[in-house]
Amino acid sequence: MRKLGQVVIKQFGVFGSILILGTVGYWVVFMIVLPQLIMLDYSFRPFLPLRKMGGPEDIYTLKNYIVLFTNEFHRAIFIKTIWASVIVTVSALFVCYPISFYLAKVAKGARFSLVLLGLIVPYWINELLRIFAWQLILADTGIFNQLLLSINLVADPINFRAGNGAVIMGMVYAYILFMVFPLYNAMESLDRNQIDAARDLGASWPRIHKRIVIPHAKPGIAVGCIMTFMLAAGSIAAPQLLGSPSSFWFTQVIYTNFETANWNQGAAYSMVLAGLCLVFIFSMMKIFKVNLRDIAK
């Protein structure tokens, strides 16, 4: 820490260092730590009318957390959200892996710029507008259904929004950059000579990816999976706009609690979701055998 402070002072001077470190410290304390502590405090307190707050009934309790395990509807939504978020993460990995490899080791010059622009330009538009666009694409009279009807693959329009399909597709698209760039960053540092040497020795492309590319890209895979899962599990716009009553998301349950002024229950559910994300982070680190230093790269 002292060494880091000396580097910052040397780079930006005393005044600049105080400004930078003060801004970062303010952001961490007042925008991250303090709100989380307040949320944690709310989660252990019962939902009471304003006149009873601070009274003898206002005690710390686990009741708000126990509700999740006793309410079958909320428990089912919570499990469904975890499973659907895993599907979103795995789907994004399968979609983004070849794109990242192409950008890192195949595309050069104009092709690299064209693919990169194709990925980035749509994100100049607000996320809500992009999700609304998916509403139009997946509608009964949307592009997908019109294409399927025109080639006679289906007799009637498919209701893509009946289950979780539309939500998963929308999320994979919405968070594609959060998977592509960590993978690209990891693959870009791989020495191309290793791949060429393996090809010269007769290794197939699946074997090259299994033995060379994927082991080297493990930190990028871990970061991409962590970011995509956390964004999917915490999303509310995509389930709200692309989902149906049967595709209710756990974040919608949390939002409903806050909207009905039951902040205590909403805070407890938020803490459970945050705890789940932490478990997922450490699980990815364990599975891919990486540490925080590897991820930071």
Side-chain angles (χ1 to χ4, degrees), residues 169-183:
M169 284 191 287
M171 284 189 178
V172 170
Y173 169 75
Y175 307 132
I176 191 171
L177 291 186
F178 295 95
M179 183 67 77
V180 165
F181 285 133
L183 289 174

Side-chain angles (χ1 to χ4, degrees), residues 209-281:
H209 283 279
K210 180 181 178 181
R211 299 294 296 273
I212 298 175
V213 181
I214 293 178
H216 184 84
K218 283 194 298 184
I221 296 173
V223 172
C225 289
I226 288 170
M227 295 179 69
T228 304
F229 177 86
M230 293 177 66
L231 288 167
S235 175
I236 189 170
Q240 194 80 23
L241 297 176
L242 295 176
S244 63
S246 63
S247 60
F248 212 59
W249 218 254
F250 193 62
T251 47
Q252 293 172 282
V253 177
I254 296 173
Y255 175 77
T256 301
N257 278 300
F258 278 102
E259 191 177 36
T260 55
N262 191 351
W263 288 23
N264 306 87
Q265 190 66 65
Y269 281 6
S270 298
M271 289 294 105
V272 170
L273 190 60
L276 168 68
C277 291
L278 286 175
V279 170
F280 187 83
I281 290 171

